[in-house]
Amino acid sequence: MQTSTVLPVLFEVLPRVARIAVYIALGVFAANLVVAFGLVERIAGLSRYLTSPANLPDEVGTAIVTTAASTTAGYGMLAEFRESGVLDDRATLVAVTINTFFGFVQHIFTFYWPVLIPILGREVGFMYVGARAAIALAITLTGVVAGAVLLSKQNVTPSALAETDGAGGTTDEDESGVRSMVEDAGRKTWKTVRRIVPRLAVVYVLVTLLLQTTDLESFTELASPLTNLVGLPGAAVPVVVAFAFDTTTGAATIAPAIGETFTPKQAVATMLIGGIISFAVSTFKRSIPFQYGIWGPEFGSKVIAVNTGLKIVFIAIAVALLVA
């Protein structure tokens, strides 16, 4: 492959990988610190209402709380818990599913409230955000139920992090020192970041190169059958296409037609269908590089399948209720 093709991709990808690496490092470092300092009980108090019924240890609660501030950091915590043996693969999938609503929460304050609602207007804006919130909450509760049914003590080892922290032959004096715990957390963080980031960079480069030679607009051919299936106006097709590639553009496209071409419910249903199409696009652009970087191809594929499958199912249910 020519250098002239690869270099622009590297300049595009490396800043993105560096930013993600920082968030992952922060998440993993925080995960190690909260365990080392015994802060799990304080941080995970509220989330215990979700983790306890799902048969997950309190440590997962720290990742849930962190996800509300940074999805990347929250995933970094879960990666550390899986790597250390606190969670097996099944428990990790349940935890990732429960994280969904908390990952949505951060977008309320960074995107939905300041950007999307002003574009769509108060009525449709709140309807759309409310629908997305209900979908995210339904996925989280599905994770709780799945944990209650599928998980047992065999799937989790809450003492694994503590046992790892205690390994290495440090003295009692070192173990009791704050500096020793911080340095130990730093060493563990570096080990995890060193394992994840190179893989993340390689996958991002490969996917970006693939995108340059692949016409993702072919995915939007699904728009017309979907809008016809649920009985939406023909004008919904270009909105879905726009929404699939850029949420803000899609919202701006449909906003002038609300009240004339679209009823509020039809507008929300149209944007949700745009969300279904966008999953196909965003899977290539973001999910595969990120999830493969965090978990590796095998487990990353499982995370993508579970996340995408649940989102499509609950979005479809929401659309059916809106157009009924």
Side-chain angles (χ1 to χ4, degrees):
M1 187 172 294
Q2 296 181 352
T3 304
S4 59
T5 303
V6 176
L7 285 179
V9 172
L10 291 177
F11 284 119
E12 177 186 346
V13 167
L14 291 181
R16 188 186 312 164
V17 172
R19 184 174 63 252
I20 293 174
V22 170
Y23 282 116
I24 292 173
L26 290 174
V28 173
F29 186 65
N32 287 313
L33 281 184
V34 295
V35 173
F37 284 99
L39 299 177
V40 171
E41 290 291 327
R42 299 179 183 179
I43 296 176
L46 293 176
S47 60
R48 189 175 289 115
Y49 292 105
L50 297 175
T51 56
S52 180
N55 295 317
L56 290 171
D58 291 343
E59 285 82 358
V60 174
T62 62
I64 289 175
V65 173
T66 302
T67 300
S70 168
T71 303
T72 305
Y75 268 79
M77 281 189 165
L78 290 179
E80 175 68 6
F81 295 150
R82 177 172 176 263
E83 178 70 17
S84 64
V86 174
L87 306 175
D88 70 0
D89 285 359
R90 181 182 295 182
T92 304
L93 283 173
V94 169
V96 167
T97 303
I98 293 176
N99 261 4
T100 302
F101 179 76
F102 297 89
F104 169 82
V105 167
Q106 63 170 300
H107 297 300
I108 294 177
F109 303 103
T110 60
F111 177 68
Y112 290 121
W113 186 273
V115 178
L116 207 64
I117 291 177
I119 293 174
L120 295 172
R122 181 174 299 178
E123 180 183 6
V124 175
F126 278 115
M127 284 179 62
Y128 176 72
V129 175
R132 292 300 301 263
I135 290 166
L137 181 59
I139 294 173
T140 288
L141 294 178
T142 298
V144 175
V145 173
V149 174
L150 300 176
L151 299 185
S152 66
K153 293 181 179 179
Q154 295 178 348
N155 302 107
V156 299
T157 309
S159 60
L161 269 181
E163 291 171 357
T164 303
D165 287 344
T170 56
T171 64
D172 292 339
E173 182 179 353
D174 289 334
E175 291 175 352
S176 65
V178 173
R179 178 179 297 180
S180 175
M181 288 188 286
V182 172
E183 290 177 351
D184 191 47
R187 285 192 296 270
K188 296 177 190 300
T189 299
W190 171 244
K191 180 180 177 181
T192 302
V193 170
R194 188 175 57 187
R195 173 177 52 84
I196 290 176
V197 172
R199 184 171 60 200
L200 187 70
V202 170
V203 178
Y204 256 118
V205 169
L206 293 177
V207 169
T208 304
L209 287 171
L210 177 63
L211 290 175
Q212 292 185 350
T213 58
T214 304
D215 181 17
L216 291 181
E217 291 188 6
S218 60
F219 286 110
T220 62
E221 294 176 0
L222 296 172
S224 183
L226 284 175
T227 55
N228 291 335
L229 180 65
V230 298
L232 292 172
V237 175
V239 174
V240 169
V241 172
F243 208 89
F245 288 93
D246 183 76
T247 303
T248 305
T249 301
T253 302
I254 199 173
I258 296 173
E260 298 180 4
T261 306
F262 299 93
T263 66
K265 287 186 177 181
Q266 287 177 330
V268 174
T270 298
M271 290 186 288
L272 290 177
I273 290 176
I276 292 178
I277 303 297
S278 71
F279 290 145
V281 178
S282 64
T283 295
F284 282 98
K285 287 186 174 181
R286 291 181 290 274
S287 294
I288 288 178
F290 178 72
Q291 301 294 359
Y292 280 22
I294 292 286
W295 313 106
E298 182 178 356
F299 189 71
S301 297
K302 294 179 182 179
V303 172
I304 292 171
V306 170
N307 280 342
T308 304
L310 288 173
K311 285 178 182 178
I312 290 176
V313 166
F314 284 106
I315 286 177
I317 292 172
V319 170
L321 293 174
L322 286 167
V323 300

